[in-house]
Amino acid sequence: MKDGIDVKLNMHLNPAAFNEETKTVAARVLKDAALHVLQVSNMRVPLQEGHLQNSGDTAVDHNDMRASISYSQPYAVAQHENLDWKHAPGREAKYLETALEEEAAAVKAMIAQQLKELFK
């Protein structure tokens, strides 16, 4: 996070469902899912010079089994929340929230398929 301001969403798996051996793989699954949402969000993020888009990042907390997706430019929250600002075609406010909502089924399927493989 830069300058203490970011737009962030989280994905979470139940850590009790994994042992130490499977946690590493499950963390990779979460990372893949977060990267997918980030990629979709990057196609919508307001774009002028690319600084906001380039500040997008993902992180995985292996203990909590939580993946985070964030944008860390000082103006990320304002760009995300202000519905009155005009953007180029295909670019929009709520770029991260909308990406996660619209990709929720795909992300759940991605996670389920990869975890199914893990627990075969």
Side-chain angles (χ1 to χ4, degrees):
M1 185 167 70
K2 184 177 179 182
D3 296 331
I5 301 170
D6 74 339
V7 173
K8 181 185 271 187
L9 289 175
N10 294 302
M11 291 183 279
H12 182 257
L13 294 175
N14 179 2
F18 304 95
N19 61 34
E20 288 307 312
E21 183 180 327
T22 58
K23 262 190 178 180
T24 300
V25 176
R28 190 194 76 232
V29 169
L30 275 175
K31 180 75 168 182
D32 290 347
L35 287 169
H36 173 77
V37 174
L38 178 63
Q39 183 179 36
V40 172
S41 179
N42 277 341
M43 293 187 290
R44 298 177 173 163
V45 71
L47 186 64
Q48 187 169 357
E49 297 176 7
H51 299 298
L52 180 56
Q53 181 176 338
N54 292 337
S55 78
D57 198 10
T58 62
V60 175
D61 180 324
H62 292 251
N63 292 325
D64 273 349
M65 296 306 297
R66 184 178 305 276
S68 298
I69 308 155
S70 63
Y71 288 89
S72 59
Q73 286 296 317
Y75 50 87
V77 172
Q79 282 287 355
H80 192 269
E81 298 301 319
N82 194 324
L83 301 176
D84 297 326
W85 289 358
K86 302 294 182 216
H87 302 292
R91 304 299 178 153
E92 61 190 23
K94 301 293 188 181
Y95 47 90
L96 183 53
E97 186 176 327
T98 302
L100 185 59
E101 287 172 359
E102 290 181 2
E103 294 300 311
V107 165
K108 287 177 185 175
M110 177 189 308
I111 291 171
Q113 180 60 38
Q114 290 184 32
L115 291 179
K116 183 177 177 182
E117 294 294 321
L118 175 64
F119 289 109
K120 271 188 173 180

